Amino acid sequence: MGMINQLTSLREQLLAAHDEQKKLAASQIEKQRQQMELAKQQQEQIARQQQQLLQQQHKINLLQQQIQVRDCISTHIPVTPSFLFPHVFPRAFLL
C-alpha cells in the first residue's frame, strides 16, 4: 500500500509540475506577443517620422529654390535650369 501512495503522490507532483510549465510557457508566449506588438508599433512610428522628415526636406528644398531664384532675380543673374529644377538637372550633368 505504501508504494501505491508514493506513486500516486509522484503522479500528482508530475501533473502539478506539468501544469506549472504550461502556465509559464503561456506567460512567455504572451510576453513575446506583447513585445512583437510593441516592436510593430515602434516600426510604424519610425516609418511615420521618416515620412515627415522627407516632407520637411522637400519643403526645405522648395524654399531654398525660391531663395535662389529670388536672389538671382534681385541681382540680375540669369536663372539656370538647375536652380529651378535640380531633380531634372543635377549639377554633375550641367558641368
Side-chain angles (χ1 to χ4, degrees):
M1 193 72 170
M3 184 66 95
I4 290 177
N5 287 339
Q6 286 179 346
L7 290 173
T8 301
S9 175
L10 183 59
R11 179 180 181 274
E12 289 173 1
Q13 289 175 9
L14 287 171
L15 288 173
H18 182 67
D19 284 345
E20 190 63 32
Q21 284 180 337
K22 286 186 349 186
K23 289 178 186 176
L24 181 60
S27 173
Q28 289 174 338
I29 289 171
E30 177 60 20
K31 285 179 184 177
Q32 286 177 339
R33 187 197 66 75
Q34 290 174 356
Q35 288 174 341
M36 290 176 66
E37 180 63 28
L38 179 61
K40 178 183 173 188
Q41 291 172 358
Q42 289 172 336
Q43 287 174 339
E44 290 171 351
Q45 182 180 10
I46 289 169
R48 285 191 301 271
Q49 289 172 338
Q50 286 175 331
Q51 185 62 34
Q52 289 173 346
L53 286 173
L54 287 173
Q55 291 171 350
Q56 290 173 351
Q57 186 62 49
H58 181 68
K59 289 178 185 177
I60 289 169
N61 291 343
L62 290 176
L63 290 171
Q64 286 177 333
Q65 290 172 11
Q66 290 173 0
I67 290 169
Q68 288 174 340
V69 168
R70 186 200 66 207
D71 288 349
C72 288
I73 291 171
S74 67
T75 58
H76 304 292
I77 298 173
V79 178
T80 63
S82 65
F83 282 164
L84 298 175
F85 307 102
H87 57 287
V88 177
F89 299 98
R91 292 194 185 277
F93 180 73
L94 294 173
L95 293 178

